[in-house]
Amino acid sequence: MEEYMTDKQFKTIFEMFDMILDGCKDLDEAKEKVQRLIEGQTSSEKSDIKTEKSDL
C-alpha cells in the first residue's frame, strides 16, 4: 500500500524545519538540533513499545 503526504503535512514539516533552523548560527548547529530531535523521537518510540508490551 502506498502512502501519500498531503499538502498540509508537507507544510507542517517545512514549518518545523523553519523553527529548527531559526537562530542557528551555522549548518553544524542545525544538524545537531535535528539529531537531538531524532534521538528524542527514537527513545520516545521505544518507551511507547515498552508501555504497549507491559499492558498485555
Side-chain angles (χ1 to χ4, degrees), residues 30-40:
K31 286 180 180 181
E32 186 179 316
K33 279 185 172 183
V34 170
Q35 191 60 42
R36 285 194 314 254
L37 289 170
I38 291 169
E39 290 170 358

Side-chain angles (χ1 to χ4, degrees), residues 38-48:
I38 291 169
E39 290 170 358
Q41 181 65 30
T42 303
S43 64
S44 173
E45 288 174 356
K46 287 180 182 177
S47 67
D48 288 347

Side-chain angles (χ1 to χ4, degrees), residues 3-29:
E3 294 185 31
Y4 297 95
M5 292 182 66
T6 65
D7 290 342
K8 183 177 179 179
Q9 290 170 315
F10 272 115
K11 181 181 179 194
T12 301
I13 289 170
F14 287 126
E15 288 171 345
M16 289 188 312
F17 276 120
D18 185 47
M19 287 187 280
I20 291 167
L21 298 176
D22 188 36
C24 289
K25 297 173 193 144
D26 56 22
L27 182 59
D28 289 332
E29 185 179 349

